[in-house]
Structure formats: C-alpha cells, structure tokens
Amino acid sequence: NSFLWRASLETLNFMPLDSADPFGGVIVTDWYANPRVPNERLKANVYILDTQLRADALKVTVFKQVNAGGGWADAPVDADTARQIENSILTRARELFIASN
C-alpha cells in the first residue's frame, strides 16, 4: 500500500533509515538517541502486511536500549509506544489517501 509506505517513512523521518524494501513492505531504522535523553536509544521495524489501508495491515516493533556502564543493554519498551506509532502512521496514510482523491 503506497499510502502506508509513504506515511511510515514520513512518520519515522526523524530516525535514520537502516533499510527500506518497498517490495517486501519492510522499513528498518537505525538506532536513534533523543538529544534530551542521550543514555537511551530506540529503533523501529515497520511491516506493511497487506495492500489494503486497514489497521491490521501494519505492524510496528520498537526496540530500546539504555547505556549501562559504557555499554548498551536491551531495555523493556512501553507496549503503547508501538501502538502510538501505528496510529500515527494510519492517520497520516488516511490523510494521504483523502488528498489523492
């Protein structure tokens, strides 16, 4: 779905891209550290699972690491974080769809 694809790239544009496969529908970001929280970093994977513009056509996975004694260690991610990103992507995709008609 081109609307989900564009909306995903726009929503995650603050994070550096590691890879993007438009044919497979997969976007993988590199680690991003918010300058206000330098001892924490996040990365995201976006999977576009269907050609339809529906909520179940999108899956976002978020990973988090914290700097513990000079090395990065995996940390739990709030379950709502991925859902919020998914909702932002879906909202933007709907806006793009409406604007195209």
Side-chain angles (χ1 to χ4, degrees), residues 2 17 36 52 65:
S2 64
L17 272 182
R36 291 178 280 170
Q52 300 298 313
Q65 289 185 337

Side-chain angles (χ1 to χ4, degrees), residues 42-53:
L42 300 169
K43 77 179 291 178
N45 295 345
V46 177
Y47 304 95
I48 298 171
L49 307 170
D50 197 345
T51 58
Q52 300 298 313
L53 181 51

Side-chain angles (χ1 to χ4, degrees), residues 12 15-19 27-32 42-45:
L12 297 174
M15 300 178 88
L17 272 182
D18 186 36
S19 66
I27 298 170
V28 178
T29 71
D30 202 355
W31 291 105
Y32 167 77
L42 300 169
K43 77 179 291 178
N45 295 345

Side-chain angles (χ1 to χ4, degrees), residues 25-97:
V26 178
I27 298 170
V28 178
T29 71
D30 202 355
W31 291 105
Y32 167 77
N34 184 331
R36 291 178 280 170
V37 190
N39 66 332
E40 177 180 294
R41 65 185 187 174
L42 300 169
K43 77 179 291 178
N45 295 345
V46 177
Y47 304 95
I48 298 171
L49 307 170
D50 197 345
T51 58
Q52 300 298 313
L53 181 51
R54 302 182 333 208
D56 62 351
L58 182 70
K59 178 168 176 45
V60 175
T61 307
V62 179
F63 304 93
K64 178 179 173 180
Q65 289 185 337
V66 293
N67 195 334
W72 292 99
D74 292 339
V77 179
D78 182 354
D80 198 42
T81 302
R83 192 172 312 110
Q84 288 176 356
I85 294 171
E86 286 174 358
N87 288 339
S88 294
I89 292 170
L90 288 165
T91 299
R92 181 62 184 139
R94 287 183 194 110
E95 291 170 356
L96 292 169
F97 175 75

